[in-house]
Amino acid sequence: MKTNKFSDLTINELNKQKSSLNRILLGTGIVMLILCTVLLYLISKSQNFALIAVIPCILLTMLPGIIKLSQINAEIKSRDSKSTAL
């Protein structure tokens, strides 16, 4: 079985990781949005529509960060539910 590395961290450490990962994903998302806009402009200017295939690949690079953020959120939620049940 795969061990949960987030279970070893405290709530404060999880919240710090969550906030830093949120900032990283937000910054990366803004940069990728700008890049996709420039790419769409270049596609329309050069009429090279094969470049449209690059856009989903650019967006898929954020997927590992989103998955990690959802894991952190799930761990925080599970700890909150455990603490309220006690």
Side-chain angles (χ1 to χ4, degrees):
M1 297 250 337
K2 185 177 177 184
T3 59
N4 188 356
K5 61 183 174 185
F6 297 120
S7 61
D8 298 335
L9 300 176
T10 65
I11 286 287
N12 290 335
E13 291 171 337
L14 285 172
N15 285 328
K16 284 180 186 178
Q17 278 193 358
K18 179 182 174 183
S19 66
S20 67
L21 193 57
N22 273 334
R23 288 192 299 263
I24 290 170
L25 286 175
L26 180 66
T28 306
I30 291 170
V31 169
M32 286 190 183
L33 183 66
I34 293 169
L35 287 176
C36 288
T37 305
V38 169
L39 187 60
L40 285 173
Y41 172 75
L42 291 174
I43 289 169
S44 67
K45 191 78 169 165
S46 68
Q47 299 295 319
N48 189 0
F49 297 108
L51 291 175
I52 292 177
V54 174
I55 294 174
C57 297
I58 290 174
L59 298 176
L60 281 176
T61 59
M62 291 185 65
L63 193 59
I66 294 170
I67 291 171
K68 186 173 180 177
L69 183 64
S70 68
Q71 289 174 345
I72 291 172
N73 285 334
E75 182 67 27
I76 291 172
K77 186 177 179 180
S78 71
R79 289 192 188 182
D80 285 340
S81 65
K82 285 180 186 176
S83 66
T84 58
L86 295 178

Coordinates of all heavy atoms in Angstrom, one line a residue:
M1 N 0.8 -1.2 0.0 CA 0.0 0.0 0.0 C 0.9 1.2 0.0 O 1.9 1.3 0.6 CB -0.9 0.0 1.2 CG -1.9 -1.1 1.3 SD -3.6 -0.7 1.1 CE -3.9 1.0 1.5
K2 N 0.4 2.3 -0.6 CA 1.1 3.5 -0.7 C 0.8 4.3 0.6 O -0.3 4.4 1.0 CB 0.6 4.3 -1.9 CG 1.3 5.6 -2.1 CD 0.8 6.3 -3.4 CE 1.5 7.6 -3.6 NZ 0.9 8.3 -4.7
T3 N 1.9 4.8 1.2 CA 1.7 5.5 2.5 C 1.3 7.0 2.2 O 1.8 7.5 1.1 CB 3.0 5.5 3.3 OG1 4.0 6.1 2.6 CG2 3.3 4.1 3.7
N4 N 0.6 7.6 3.0 CA 0.1 8.9 2.9 C 1.2 9.8 3.5 O 1.3 9.9 4.7 CB -1.2 9.2 3.5 CG -1.8 10.5 3.2 OD1 -1.1 11.4 2.6 ND2 -3.0 10.7 3.6
K5 N 2.0 10.5 2.8 CA 3.0 11.4 3.3 C 2.5 12.6 4.0 O 3.2 13.2 4.8 CB 4.1 11.8 2.3 CG 3.5 12.6 1.1 CD 4.6 12.8 0.1 CE 4.0 13.5 -1.1 NZ 4.9 13.7 -2.1
F6 N 1.2 13.0 3.7 CA 0.6 14.1 4.4 C 0.2 13.8 5.8 O 0.0 14.7 6.6 CB -0.6 14.6 3.6 CG -0.2 15.1 2.2 CD1 -0.7 14.6 1.1 CD2 0.7 16.1 2.0 CE1 -0.3 15.0 -0.2 CE2 1.1 16.6 0.8 CZ 0.6 16.0 -0.3
S7 N 0.0 12.5 6.1 CA -0.4 12.2 7.5 C 0.6 12.4 8.5 O 0.3 12.5 9.7 CB -0.9 10.7 7.5 OG 0.2 9.9 7.2
D8 N 1.9 12.6 8.1 CA 3.0 12.9 9.0 C 3.1 14.4 9.3 O 3.8 14.7 10.3 CB 4.3 12.4 8.4 CG 4.3 10.9 8.2 OD1 3.6 10.2 8.9 OD2 5.1 10.4 7.3
L9 N 2.4 15.2 8.6 CA 2.5 16.6 8.8 C 1.5 17.2 9.7 O 0.4 16.6 9.9 CB 2.4 17.4 7.4 CG 3.4 17.0 6.3 CD1 3.0 17.7 5.0 CD2 4.8 17.4 6.8
T10 N 1.8 18.3 10.4 CA 0.8 18.9 11.2 C -0.2 19.7 10.4 O 0.0 20.0 9.2 CB 1.5 19.8 12.3 OG1 2.1 20.9 11.6 CG2 2.5 19.0 13.1
I11 N -1.2 20.2 11.1 CA -2.2 21.0 10.4 C -1.6 22.3 9.9 O -1.9 22.8 8.8 CB -3.4 21.3 11.3 CG1 -4.3 20.1 11.5 CG2 -4.3 22.5 10.8 CD1 -5.1 19.7 10.3
N12 N -0.7 22.9 10.7 CA -0.1 24.2 10.3 C 0.8 24.0 9.1 O 0.8 24.8 8.2 CB 0.8 24.7 11.4 CG -0.1 25.3 12.6 OD1 -1.2 25.6 12.4 ND2 0.5 25.3 13.8
E13 N 1.5 22.9 9.0 CA 2.4 22.6 7.9 C 1.5 22.3 6.6 O 1.9 22.7 5.5 CB 3.3 21.4 8.2 CG 4.4 21.6 9.2 CD 5.1 20.4 9.6 OE1 4.6 19.3 9.4 OE2 6.2 20.5 10.1
L14 N 0.4 21.6 6.8 CA -0.5 21.4 5.7 C -1.1 22.7 5.2 O -1.2 22.9 3.9 CB -1.6 20.4 6.1 CG -1.3 19.0 6.3 CD1 -2.4 18.2 6.9 CD2 -0.9 18.4 4.9
N15 N -1.5 23.6 6.0 CA -2.0 24.9 5.6 C -0.9 25.7 4.9 O -1.2 26.4 3.9 CB -2.6 25.6 6.8 CG -3.9 25.0 7.2 OD1 -4.7 24.5 6.4 ND2 -4.2 25.1 8.5
K16 N 0.3 25.6 5.4 CA 1.4 26.4 4.7 C 1.6 25.8 3.3 O 1.8 26.6 2.3 CB 2.7 26.2 5.5 CG 2.7 27.1 6.7 CD 4.1 27.0 7.4 CE 4.1 27.7 8.7 NZ 5.3 27.5 9.5
Q17 N 1.6 24.5 3.2 CA 1.8 23.8 1.9 C 0.6 24.2 0.9 O 0.8 24.5 -0.2 CB 1.9 22.3 2.0 CG 3.3 21.9 2.3 CD 3.4 20.4 2.1 OE1 2.5 19.7 1.7 NE2 4.6 19.9 2.4
K18 N -0.6 24.2 1.5 CA -1.8 24.6 0.7 C -1.7 26.0 0.2 O -1.9 26.2 -1.0 CB -3.0 24.4 1.6 CG -4.3 24.7 0.9 CD -5.5 24.6 1.8 CE -6.8 25.0 1.1 NZ -7.9 25.0 2.0
S19 N -1.3 26.9 1.1 CA -1.3 28.3 0.6 C -0.2 28.5 -0.4 O -0.3 29.3 -1.4 CB -1.1 29.2 1.8 OG 0.1 29.0 2.4
S20 N 1.0 27.9 -0.2 CA 2.1 28.1 -1.1 C 1.7 27.4 -2.5 O 2.0 28.0 -3.5 CB 3.4 27.5 -0.6 OG 3.3 26.1 -0.5
L21 N 1.1 26.3 -2.4 CA 0.7 25.6 -3.7 C -0.4 26.4 -4.4 O -0.4 26.5 -5.6 CB 0.2 24.2 -3.4 CG 0.1 23.2 -4.6 CD1 1.4 23.1 -5.3 CD2 -0.3 21.9 -4.1
N22 N -1.3 27.0 -3.7 CA -2.3 27.9 -4.3 C -1.6 29.0 -5.0 O -2.0 29.4 -6.1 CB -3.3 28.4 -3.2 CG -4.4 27.5 -3.0 OD1 -4.8 26.7 -3.8 ND2 -5.0 27.6 -1.8
R23 N -0.6 29.7 -4.4 CA 0.1 30.8 -5.0 C 0.8 30.3 -6.3 O 0.8 31.0 -7.3 CB 1.0 31.4 -4.0 CG 0.3 32.2 -2.9 CD 1.3 33.1 -2.2 NE 2.3 32.3 -1.5 CZ 2.3 31.9 -0.2 NH1 1.3 32.3 0.5 NH2 3.3 31.2 0.3
I24 N 1.5 29.2 -6.2 CA 2.2 28.7 -7.3 C 1.3 28.4 -8.5 O 1.5 28.7 -9.6 CB 3.0 27.4 -6.9 CG1 4.2 27.8 -6.0 CG2 3.5 26.7 -8.1 CD1 4.9 26.6 -5.4
L25 N 0.1 27.7 -8.2 CA -0.8 27.4 -9.2 C -1.5 28.6 -9.8 O -1.7 28.7 -11.0 CB -1.9 26.4 -8.7 CG -1.4 25.0 -8.5 CD1 -2.6 24.2 -7.8 CD2 -1.0 24.3 -9.7
L26 N -1.7 29.6 -9.0 CA -2.3 30.8 -9.5 C -1.3 31.6 -10.4 O -1.7 32.0 -11.5 CB -2.7 31.8 -8.4 CG -3.3 33.1 -8.8 CD1 -4.7 32.9 -9.4 CD2 -3.5 34.0 -7.6
G27 N -0.1 31.7 -10.0 CA 0.9 32.3 -10.9 C 1.2 31.5 -12.2 O 1.3 32.1 -13.2
T28 N 1.3 30.2 -12.0 CA 1.5 29.4 -13.2 C 0.3 29.5 -14.2 O 0.4 29.6 -15.4 CB 1.7 27.9 -12.8 OG1 2.8 27.9 -11.9 CG2 2.0 27.1 -14.0
G29 N -0.9 29.5 -13.6 CA -2.1 29.6 -14.4 C -2.2 30.9 -15.2 O -2.6 31.0 -16.3
I30 N -1.8 32.0 -14.5 CA -1.8 33.3 -15.2 C -0.8 33.3 -16.3 O -1.1 33.8 -17.4 CB -1.5 34.5 -14.2 CG1 -2.7 34.6 -13.2 CG2 -1.2 35.8 -14.9 CD1 -2.5 35.5 -12.0
V31 N 0.4 32.8 -16.1 CA 1.4 32.8 -17.1 C 0.9 31.9 -18.3 O 1.1 32.2 -19.5 CB 2.8 32.3 -16.5 CG1 3.8 31.9 -17.7 CG2 3.3 33.3 -15.6
M32 N 0.3 30.7 -18.0 CA -0.1 29.9 -19.0 C -1.3 30.5 -19.8 O -1.4 30.2 -21.0 CB -0.5 28.5 -18.4 CG 0.6 27.7 -18.1 SD 0.2 26.0 -17.7 CE 1.7 25.4 -17.2
L33 N -2.1 31.2 -19.2 CA -3.2 31.9 -19.9 C -2.7 32.9 -20.8 O -3.1 33.0 -22.0 CB -4.1 32.6 -18.8 CG -5.4 33.3 -19.4 CD1 -6.3 32.3 -20.1 CD2 -6.1 34.1 -18.3
I34 N -1.6 33.7 -20.4 CA -1.0 34.6 -21.3 C -0.3 33.9 -22.5 O -0.4 34.3 -23.6 CB 0.0 35.5 -20.5 CG1 -0.7 36.4 -19.5 CG2 0.9 36.3 -21.5 CD1 0.2 37.1 -18.5
L35 N 0.4 32.8 -22.2 CA 1.0 32.0 -23.2 C 0.0 31.4 -24.2 O 0.2 31.5 -25.4 CB 1.8 30.9 -22.6 CG 3.1 31.3 -21.9 CD1 3.8 30.0 -21.3 CD2 4.1 31.9 -22.9
C36 N -1.1 31.0 -23.7 CA -2.1 30.4 -24.6 C -2.7 31.5 -25.5 O -3.0 31.3 -26.7 CB -3.2 29.7 -23.8 SG -2.7 28.1 -23.2
T37 N -2.9 32.7 -24.9 CA -3.4 33.8 -25.7 C -2.5 34.2 -26.8 O -2.9 34.5 -27.9 CB -3.7 35.1 -24.8 OG1 -4.5 34.6 -23.7 CG2 -4.3 36.2 -25.5
V38 N -1.2 34.3 -26.5 CA -0.2 34.6 -27.5 C -0.1 33.5 -28.5 O 0.0 33.8 -29.7 CB 1.2 34.8 -26.8 CG1 2.3 34.9 -27.8 CG2 1.2 36.0 -25.9
L39 N -0.2 32.3 -28.1 CA -0.2 31.2 -29.1 C -1.4 31.2 -30.0 O -1.3 31.0 -31.2 CB -0.2 29.8 -28.3 CG 0.0 28.6 -29.2 CD1 1.3 28.6 -29.9 CD2 0.0 27.4 -28.3
L40 N -2.6 31.5 -29.4 CA -3.8 31.7 -30.3 C -3.6 32.8 -31.3 O -4.0 32.7 -32.4 CB -5.0 31.9 -29.5 CG -5.5 30.6 -28.7 CD1 -6.7 31.0 -27.8 CD2 -6.0 29.6 -29.7
Y41 N -3.0 33.9 -30.9 CA -2.7 35.0 -31.8 C -1.8 34.6 -32.9 O -2.0 34.9 -34.1 CB -2.1 36.2 -31.0 CG -1.7 37.3 -31.9 CD1 -2.6 38.1 -32.6 CD2 -0.3 37.5 -32.2 CE1 -2.1 39.2 -33.4 CE2 0.1 38.5 -33.0 CZ -0.8 39.3 -33.6 OH -0.4 40.3 -34.5
L42 N -0.7 33.9 -32.5 CA 0.2 33.4 -33.5 C -0.4 32.4 -34.5 O -0.1 32.4 -35.7 CB 1.5 32.8 -32.8 CG 2.4 33.8 -32.1 CD1 3.5 33.0 -31.4 CD2 3.0 34.8 -33.1
I43 N -1.3 31.6 -34.0 CA -2.0 30.6 -34.8 C -2.9 31.3 -35.8 O -2.9 31.0 -37.0 CB -2.8 29.6 -34.0 CG1 -1.9 28.7 -33.2 CG2 -3.8 28.9 -34.8 CD1 -2.6 27.9 -32.2
S44 N -3.6 32.4 -35.4 CA -4.4 33.1 -36.3 C -3.6 33.9 -37.3 O -4.0 34.1 -38.4 CB -5.4 34.0 -35.5 OG -4.7 35.0 -34.9
K45 N -2.5 34.4 -36.9 CA -1.6 35.2 -37.7 C -1.0 34.4 -38.8 O -0.9 34.8 -40.0 CB -0.6 35.9 -36.9 CG 0.2 37.0 -37.6 CD -0.7 38.2 -37.7 CE 0.2 39.4 -38.1 NZ -0.6 40.5 -38.6
S46 N -0.4 33.2 -38.4 CA 0.3 32.4 -39.4 C -0.5 31.3 -40.1 O 0.0 30.7 -41.0 CB 1.5 31.7 -38.6 OG 0.9 30.7 -37.7
Q47 N -1.8 31.2 -39.7 CA -2.7 30.2 -40.2 C -2.2 28.8 -40.1 O -2.4 27.9 -40.9 CB -3.0 30.5 -41.7 CG -3.7 31.8 -42.0 CD -5.0 31.9 -41.4 OE1 -5.8 30.9 -41.5 NE2 -5.4 33.0 -40.7
N48 N -1.4 28.5 -39.1 CA -0.8 27.2 -38.8 C -1.6 26.6 -37.7 O -1.3 26.7 -36.5 CB 0.7 27.3 -38.4 CG 1.3 26.0 -38.3 OD1 0.7 24.9 -38.5 ND2 2.6 26.0 -37.9
F49 N -2.7 25.9 -38.1 CA -3.7 25.4 -37.1 C -3.2 24.1 -36.4 O -3.9 23.7 -35.5 CB -5.0 25.2 -37.8 CG -5.6 26.5 -38.3 CD1 -5.7 26.7 -39.6 CD2 -6.1 27.4 -37.4 CE1 -6.3 27.9 -40.1 CE2 -6.7 28.6 -37.8 CZ -6.7 28.8 -39.2
A50 N -2.1 23.6 -36.8 CA -1.6 22.4 -36.1 C -1.1 22.8 -34.7 O -0.9 21.9 -33.8 CB -0.4 21.8 -36.9
L51 N -0.8 24.0 -34.5 CA -0.3 24.5 -33.2 C -1.4 24.4 -32.1 O -1.1 24.6 -30.9 CB 0.3 25.9 -33.3 CG 1.6 26.0 -34.0 CD1 2.0 27.5 -34.2 CD2 2.7 25.3 -33.4
I52 N -2.6 24.3 -32.5 CA -3.7 24.2 -31.5 C -3.5 23.0 -30.6 O -3.9 23.0 -29.4 CB -5.1 24.2 -32.2 CG1 -5.3 25.5 -32.9 CG2 -6.2 23.8 -31.3 CD1 -6.6 25.6 -33.7
A53 N -2.9 22.0 -31.1 CA -2.6 20.8 -30.3 C -1.7 21.0 -29.1 O -1.6 20.3 -28.1 CB -2.0 19.7 -31.1
V54 N -1.0 22.1 -29.1 CA 0.0 22.5 -28.0 C -0.8 23.0 -26.8 O -0.4 22.8 -25.7 CB 1.0 23.5 -28.5 CG1 1.9 24.0 -27.4 CG2 1.8 22.9 -29.7
I55 N -1.9 23.6 -27.0 CA -2.7 24.2 -25.9 C -3.1 23.2 -24.8 O -2.9 23.5 -23.7 CB -3.9 25.1 -26.5 CG1 -3.3 26.3 -27.2 CG2 -4.7 25.6 -25.3 CD1 -4.4 27.1 -27.9
P56 N -3.7 22.1 -25.2 CA -4.0 21.1 -24.1 C -2.8 20.6 -23.4 O -2.9 20.3 -22.2 CB -4.8 20.0 -24.9 CG -5.2 20.6 -26.1 CD -4.3 21.7 -26.5
C57 N -1.7 20.5 -24.1 CA -0.5 20.0 -23.5 C 0.0 21.0 -22.4 O 0.5 20.6 -21.4 CB 0.6 19.7 -24.5 SG 0.1 18.4 -25.6
I58 N -0.1 22.3 -22.8 CA 0.3 23.3 -21.8 C -0.6 23.3 -20.6 O -0.1 23.3 -19.5 CB 0.2 24.7 -22.5 CG1 1.3 24.9 -23.6 CG2 0.3 25.8 -21.5 CD1 1.1 26.1 -24.4
L59 N -1.8 23.1 -20.8 CA -2.8 23.1 -19.6 C -2.6 21.8 -18.8 O -2.8 21.8 -17.6 CB -4.2 23.2 -20.1 CG -4.5 24.5 -20.8 CD1 -5.9 24.5 -21.4 CD2 -4.2 25.7 -20.0
L60 N -2.2 20.7 -19.4 CA -2.0 19.4 -18.6 C -0.8 19.5 -17.7 O -0.7 18.7 -16.8 CB -1.8 18.3 -19.6 CG -3.1 17.7 -20.2 CD1 -2.8 16.6 -21.2 CD2 -4.0 17.2 -19.1
T61 N 0.1 20.4 -17.9 CA 1.3 20.5 -17.0 C 0.9 21.0 -15.6 O 1.7 20.7 -14.7 CB 2.3 21.5 -17.6 OG1 1.8 22.8 -17.7 CG2 2.9 21.0 -18.9
M62 N -0.3 21.5 -15.4 CA -0.7 22.0 -14.1 C -1.4 20.8 -13.4 O -1.7 20.9 -12.2 CB -1.7 23.1 -14.2 CG -1.0 24.4 -14.7 SD -2.1 25.8 -14.7 CE -2.5 25.9 -12.9
L63 N -1.7 19.7 -14.0 CA -2.4 18.6 -13.4 C -1.8 18.1 -12.2 O -2.5 17.8 -11.2 CB -2.7 17.6 -14.5 CG -3.7 16.5 -14.1 CD1 -5.1 17.1 -13.8 CD2 -3.9 15.5 -15.2
P64 N -0.5 17.8 -12.1 CA 0.1 17.3 -10.9 C 0.0 18.2 -9.7 O -0.3 17.8 -8.6 CB 1.6 17.1 -11.2 CG 1.6 17.0 -12.7 CD 0.5 17.8 -13.2
G65 N 0.1 19.5 -9.9 CA -0.1 20.5 -8.8 C -1.6 20.5 -8.3 O -1.8 20.6 -7.1
I66 N -2.5 20.3 -9.2 CA -3.9 20.3 -8.8 C -4.2 19.0 -8.1 O -5.0 19.1 -7.1 CB -4.8 20.5 -10.1 CG1 -4.6 21.8 -10.7 CG2 -6.3 20.2 -9.8 CD1 -5.3 22.0 -12.0
I67 N -3.6 17.9 -8.5 CA -3.8 16.7 -7.8 C -3.3 16.8 -6.4 O -3.9 16.3 -5.4 CB -3.2 15.5 -8.6 CG1 -4.0 15.2 -9.8 CG2 -3.1 14.2 -7.7 CD1 -3.4 14.3 -10.8
K68 N -2.1 17.3 -6.2 CA -1.4 17.5 -4.9 C -2.3 18.4 -4.0 O -2.5 18.1 -2.8 CB 0.0 18.0 -5.0 CG 0.7 18.0 -3.7 CD 2.2 18.4 -3.9 CE 2.9 18.4 -2.6 NZ 4.3 18.7 -2.7
L69 N -2.8 19.4 -4.6 CA -3.7 20.4 -3.8 C -4.9 19.7 -3.3 O -5.3 19.8 -2.2 CB -4.0 21.6 -4.6 CG -4.8 22.7 -3.9 CD1 -4.1 23.2 -2.8 CD2 -5.2 23.7 -4.9
S70 N -5.5 18.8 -4.2 CA -6.7 18.1 -3.8 C -6.4 17.1 -2.7 O -7.2 16.8 -1.8 CB -7.4 17.4 -4.9 OG -6.6 16.4 -5.4
Q71 N -5.2 16.5 -2.7 CA -4.8 15.6 -1.7 C -4.6 16.3 -0.3 O -5.0 15.8 0.7 CB -3.5 14.8 -2.0 CG -3.7 13.8 -3.1 CD -2.3 13.3 -3.6 OE1 -1.3 13.8 -3.3 NE2 -2.4 12.2 -4.3
I72 N -4.0 17.5 -0.4 CA -3.8 18.3 0.8 C -5.2 18.7 1.4 O -5.4 18.6 2.6 CB -2.9 19.5 0.6 CG1 -1.5 19.1 0.3 CG2 -3.0 20.5 1.7 CD1 -0.6 20.2 -0.2
N73 N -6.1 19.1 0.5 CA -7.4 19.5 1.0 C -8.2 18.3 1.6 O -8.9 18.5 2.6 CB -8.2 20.1 -0.2 CG -7.8 21.5 -0.5 OD1 -7.3 22.2 0.3 ND2 -8.0 21.8 -1.8
A74 N -8.0 17.1 1.0 CA -8.7 15.9 1.6 C -8.1 15.6 2.9 O -8.8 15.2 3.9 CB -8.5 14.7 0.6
E75 N -6.8 15.7 3.1 CA -6.2 15.4 4.4 C -6.6 16.4 5.5 O -6.9 16.1 6.6 CB -4.6 15.5 4.3 CG -3.9 15.1 5.5 CD -4.1 13.7 6.0 OE1 -4.3 12.8 5.2 OE2 -4.0 13.5 7.2
I76 N -6.7 17.7 5.1 CA -7.2 18.7 6.0 C -8.6 18.4 6.4 O -9.0 18.5 7.6 CB -7.0 20.1 5.5 CG1 -5.5 20.5 5.4 CG2 -7.7 21.2 6.3 CD1 -5.2 21.8 4.6
K77 N -9.4 18.1 5.4 CA -10.9 17.8 5.7 C -11.0 16.6 6.6 O -11.9 16.6 7.5 CB -11.6 17.6 4.4 CG -13.1 17.4 4.5 CD -13.7 17.3 3.2 CE -15.2 17.1 3.3 NZ -15.9 17.0 2.0
S78 N -10.2 15.6 6.3 CA -10.3 14.3 7.2 C -9.9 14.6 8.6 O -10.5 14.1 9.6 CB -9.5 13.2 6.6 OG -8.1 13.4 6.8
R79 N -8.9 15.5 8.8 CA -8.5 15.8 10.2 C -9.5 16.7 10.8 O -9.8 16.6 12.0 CB -7.2 16.5 10.1 CG -6.0 15.6 9.8 CD -4.7 16.2 10.1 NE -3.7 15.4 9.5 CZ -2.4 15.6 9.7 NH1 -2.0 16.7 10.3 NH2 -1.5 14.8 9.2
D80 N -10.2 17.6 10.1 CA -11.2 18.4 10.7 C -12.4 17.6 11.1 O -13.0 17.8 12.1 CB -11.7 19.5 9.7 CG -10.7 20.6 9.6 OD1 -9.8 20.8 10.5 OD2 -10.7 21.3 8.6
S81 N -12.7 16.6 10.3 CA -13.9 15.7 10.6 C -13.5 14.8 11.8 O -14.4 14.5 12.6 CB -14.3 14.9 9.4 OG -13.3 13.9 9.1
K82 N -12.3 14.4 11.9 CA -11.9 13.6 13.1 C -11.9 14.5 14.4 O -12.3 14.0 15.4 CB -10.5 13.1 12.9 CG -10.4 11.9 12.0 CD -9.0 11.4 11.8 CE -8.8 10.4 10.8 NZ -7.4 10.0 10.6
S83 N -11.5 15.7 14.3 CA -11.4 16.6 15.5 C -12.9 17.0 15.9 O -13.1 17.1 17.1 CB -10.6 17.8 15.2 OG -11.2 18.6 14.3
T84 N -13.8 17.1 15.0 CA -15.1 17.5 15.4 C -15.9 16.2 15.9 O -16.8 16.4 16.7 CB -15.9 18.1 14.2 OG1 -15.9 17.1 13.1 CG2 -15.3 19.4 13.8
A85 N -15.5 15.0 15.5 CA -16.1 13.8 16.0 C -15.7 13.5 17.4 O -16.5 12.8 18.1 CB -15.8 12.7 15.1
L86 N -14.6 14.0 17.8 CA -14.2 13.7 19.2 C -14.8 14.6 20.2 O -15.4 15.3 20.5 CB -12.6 13.9 19.3 CG -11.8 12.9 18.5 CD1 -10.3 13.3 18.6 CD2 -12.0 11.5 18.9

